[in-house]
Amino acid sequence: MIKIVTWNINSVRLRIEMVLDFLQKTNPDILCLQEIKTVNDTFPFQAFKDAGYSYMAVRGMKSYNGVAIISRLPFADEFALDFVGKQDCRHIAVRLDDGCEIHNFYVPAGGDIPDINENPKFAHKLDFVDEMRVWFANNRDIQQKMVLVGDLNIAPLPEDVWSHKQLLNVVSHTPIEVEKLSVMRDEFGWCDAVRHHYPARDSDGNEVKLYSWWSYRARDWQASNKGRRLDHIWLTPPLLPVLQQADIASLWRGAEKPSDHVPITVTLDY
């Protein structure tokens, strides 16, 4: 069994004690973090080693962005990609000894205005997703064992947001973002592991709402429950038969000094 977690931690140094508590309680094999918000020199390597995670691939930058993969399993290789001509530390990948690749992404949030002419950040986000699609199409085969995780900053389904109608013009759920992410997923053949395990509709046809992010602006995140599923784990077809479990650990949003995102876990039986 391999248990893989993705979590936008919104500063690993600020929340290292919470992360260590999570590791102790849930015992994953691999933890992928986004928005670590620290340079490599100040990343808490020793704290993770002391917790039993000896293998780390880290790509940090001061105060912003940054991604990391922390693991009990050794890496045969690690590498990082840049998109849209920016070295802004939004991707890191490792290859395990059996050849399985794990790609950890932090897709740009895209600002507040869903217009590429008025908002360069939104244009950057759309271009980033396009380049992700092209890179996998040109450099990888769908029959390879691969896991894509991260804060993709897009909630693709109506059941992935608290109100589909009210968020159609809100960055993260606009039709153009949803279309680009869906094309990237479907053209290559990725499987959305969480929605494979928890379909958007139950057997009676009722919505199955899933969220991984709740704004800090809500006074009581649990009472308002205005969330979005921005964090994802995708699998290539060779890994789909061994998918055993998928979980969104929403209770960690209620931790002391929490991230606005919560951990997502998949368990693979291989």
Side-chain angles (χ1 to χ4, degrees), residues 194 197-198 245-249 263-267:
V194 175
H197 201 73
Y198 298 105
Q245 184 66 35
D247 295 291
I248 299 180
I264 297 179
T265 302
V266 296
T267 303

Side-chain angles (χ1 to χ4, degrees), residues 24-45:
Q24 192 274 327
K25 289 177 177 174
T26 62
N27 203 32
D29 297 289
I30 298 172
L31 172 66
C32 300
L33 298 175
Q34 303 89 40
E35 273 202 284
I36 60 174
K37 293 185 176 179
T38 182
V39 295
N40 286 32
D41 287 347
T42 53
F43 187 84
F45 289 99

Side-chain angles (χ1 to χ4, degrees), residues 14-25:
L14 180 63
R15 299 187 167 86
I16 184 60
E17 294 304 322
M18 182 176 70
V19 175
L20 295 175
D21 185 32
F22 172 82
L23 292 176
Q24 192 274 327
K25 289 177 177 174

Side-chain angles (χ1 to χ4, degrees), residues 30 34 78 85 88 141 175 201 204 235 247 267:
I30 298 172
Q34 303 89 40
E78 64 178 80
D88 51 2
D141 188 283
R201 298 278 171 165
D204 296 322
L235 308 174
D247 295 291
T267 303

Side-chain angles (χ1 to χ4, degrees), residues 116-159:
I116 61 172
N117 297 312
E118 295 183 31
N119 178 13
K121 291 182 178 180
F122 191 63
H124 176 212
K125 180 179 190 175
L126 299 183
D127 289 344
F128 192 101
V129 175
D130 282 341
E131 287 196 18
M132 287 172 67
R133 174 182 56 79
V134 170
W135 188 87
F136 280 102
N138 290 343
N139 294 279
R140 291 296 183 269
D141 188 283
I142 190 59
Q143 294 308 317
Q144 293 178 246
K145 289 191 294 185
M146 290 188 292
V147 183
L148 186 156
V149 311
D151 176 5
L152 305 187
N153 261 314
I154 299 171
L157 300 177
E159 296 83 4

Side-chain angles (χ1 to χ4, degrees), residues 2 24 53 66 74 96 107 125 146 189 217 267:
I2 295 181
Q24 192 274 327
Y53 293 82
L96 303 181
V107 171
K125 180 179 190 175
M146 290 188 292
R217 295 176 184 174
T267 303

